[in-house]
Amino acid sequence: MDFSVSMFIRQRWTDIRLKYNNTVGVSRLELDTKVMQNVWVPDMFITNEKKADIHQVTAPNMLMHIHPDGNILYSMRITGTFSCEMNLQKYPLDKQICSLGLESYAYTTDNLVYRWHDDPIVYDKDMSLPQFQLDGITTYSCDKVYHGIIDKQKYTCLKMDIALTRNVGYHLTQIYIPSCLIVILSWVSFWISVDATPARISIGILTVLTMTTQSSGARESLPKVSYVKAIDVWMAVCLLFVFGALIEFAFVNVLSRVERRRKPPRSKQTIEYNEHTNTKTVSSKF
């Protein structure tokens, strides 16, 4: 229920107190990280953050450029883990929308307003993820109203929605194909003689235990949600087929034993040969 992102957050604003006369050969002032502490910056925070850090190798990855007209560019490199409320009912054939919210903590809209840039999100179109395919990113404003001490106060907010589609290749090779092969293996017992009890029992128990182990492994990396997922239905149906093959052998074995009990016992015939009369005498014993 979370995702990790490494990104650059860039902010632009104008502070008329920092205007200065342009000198020859200097188009902007590039401040050191120690001097940045003396300049006012917006108190932005990420609403759904779990853990985030500003990169410090080999120096704090932050920059601040001040232009003569008081226009300021402030950038920082951040890597963090953010919460994402996922709906896993169709897992692993699901699509998710993970959001990232940027909000001011202390300043209301009377003093600070966030707005997206004309080109708000820049990312590599060929970027690949191990589990998901990035479908696109949507940006919008989401100003919020919170209850203050006296009255309601409005705070500025920006949000972006990241549309993700889960890649099925891993689950196809690691879950779907092996489970199908295990079910087919359980059907091999139908071609084995009913009298070969050890062979059929071994195949039945082996396939049941294998399906149980595979089902547990498929759910190991998922959060413990209260609803049924698509992968649960798939594994339950496969387990039902495998268990049904084992029950079928037990049923056929019982019918075979009943059939044997109902058959009348075979008669034993004795043939005696008389040399004098050149005849044969047949006697039967039951």
Side-chain angles (χ1 to χ4, degrees), residues 267-278:
S267 60
K268 297 181 180 180
Q269 296 181 349
T270 304
I271 301 177
E272 296 180 356
Y273 181 75
N274 194 335
E275 295 180 354
H276 299 285
T277 60
N278 197 19

Side-chain angles (χ1 to χ4, degrees), residues 47-48 99-102 116 137-142 144 157-161:
T47 55
N48 56 331
S99 301
L100 193 68
L102 308 174
W116 285 110
I137 301 177
T138 305
T139 59
Y140 55 94
S141 299
C142 58
K144 298 180 180 179
C157 172
L158 297 177
K159 207 167 188 179
M160 65 177 180
D161 291 340

Side-chain angles (χ1 to χ4, degrees), residues 24 26 35 41 49 51 72 143 153 160-161 165 200 211 222 239 245 254-255 269 277:
V24 179
V26 178
V35 184
V41 296
E49 173 209 348
K51 182 181 179 182
I72 301 174
D143 294 349
Q153 298 175 350
M160 65 177 180
D161 291 340
T165 300
R200 300 193 66 170
M211 282 303 308
L222 294 177
L239 183 61
V254 171
L255 292 181
Q269 296 181 349
T277 60

Side-chain angles (χ1 to χ4, degrees), residues 45-211:
F45 77 100
I46 303 176
T47 55
N48 56 331
E49 173 209 348
K50 286 186 175 181
K51 182 181 179 182
D53 296 300
I54 299 177
H55 290 255
Q56 302 287 335
V57 180
T58 61
N61 295 173
M62 303 170 62
L63 67 84
M64 179 177 288
H65 295 171
I66 303 178
H67 296 266
D69 58 354
N71 188 15
I72 301 174
L73 170 62
Y74 180 58
S75 175
M76 62 183 71
R77 183 186 175 203
I78 295 177
T79 297
T81 302
F82 311 97
S83 61
C84 178
E85 296 296 331
M86 297 183 180
N87 186 356
L88 300 175
Q89 289 183 344
K90 295 182 179 180
Y91 176 88
L93 306 175
D94 56 332
K95 296 182 179 181
Q96 304 295 338
I97 295 180
C98 294
S99 301
L100 193 68
L102 308 174
E103 191 175 333
S104 173
Y105 190 84
Y107 297 104
T108 62
T109 52
D110 298 334
N111 298 306
L112 180 62
V113 176
Y114 287 148
R115 288 295 179 264
W116 285 110
H117 192 265
D118 295 336
D119 190 11
I121 306 296
V122 179
Y123 64 94
D124 185 6
K125 301 298 182 180
D126 298 329
M127 180 175 56
S128 61
L129 302 175
Q131 296 187 34
F132 290 93
Q133 177 183 351
L134 183 60
D135 294 336
I137 301 177
T138 305
T139 59
Y140 55 94
S141 299
C142 58
D143 294 349
K144 298 180 180 179
V145 176
Y146 294 103
H147 291 277
I149 299 176
I150 300 177
D151 55 357
K152 295 181 180 179
Q153 298 175 350
K154 189 175 182 180
Y155 292 85
T156 184
C157 172
L158 297 177
K159 207 167 188 179
M160 65 177 180
D161 291 340
I162 306 172
L164 302 170
T165 300
R166 195 181 301 274
N167 294 327
V168 193
Y170 171 81
H171 301 87
L172 186 65
T173 57
Q174 299 295 325
I175 296 178
Y176 287 108
I177 294 179
S179 59
C180 290
L181 295 178
I182 293 172
V183 172
I184 295 174
L185 178 62
S186 66
W187 294 344
V188 175
S189 61
F190 297 156
W191 284 273
I192 300 178
S193 174
V194 70
D195 296 328
T197 302
R200 300 193 66 170
I201 288 293
S202 300
I203 292 179
I205 294 179
L206 178 63
T207 52
V208 169
L209 293 178
T210 305
M211 282 303 308

Side-chain angles (χ1 to χ4, degrees), residues 191-248:
W191 284 273
I192 300 178
S193 174
V194 70
D195 296 328
T197 302
R200 300 193 66 170
I201 288 293
S202 300
I203 292 179
I205 294 179
L206 178 63
T207 52
V208 169
L209 293 178
T210 305
M211 282 303 308
T212 304
T213 304
Q214 190 178 27
S215 178
S216 301
R219 296 190 300 265
E220 185 178 359
S221 60
L222 294 177
K224 296 177 176 60
V225 294
S226 58
Y227 50 81
V228 179
K229 303 178 289 296
I231 191 66
D232 297 332
V233 177
W234 173 268
M235 300 304 293
V237 172
C238 292
L239 183 61
L240 183 63
F241 275 113
V242 172
F243 186 74
L246 184 61
I247 295 300
E248 183 270 345

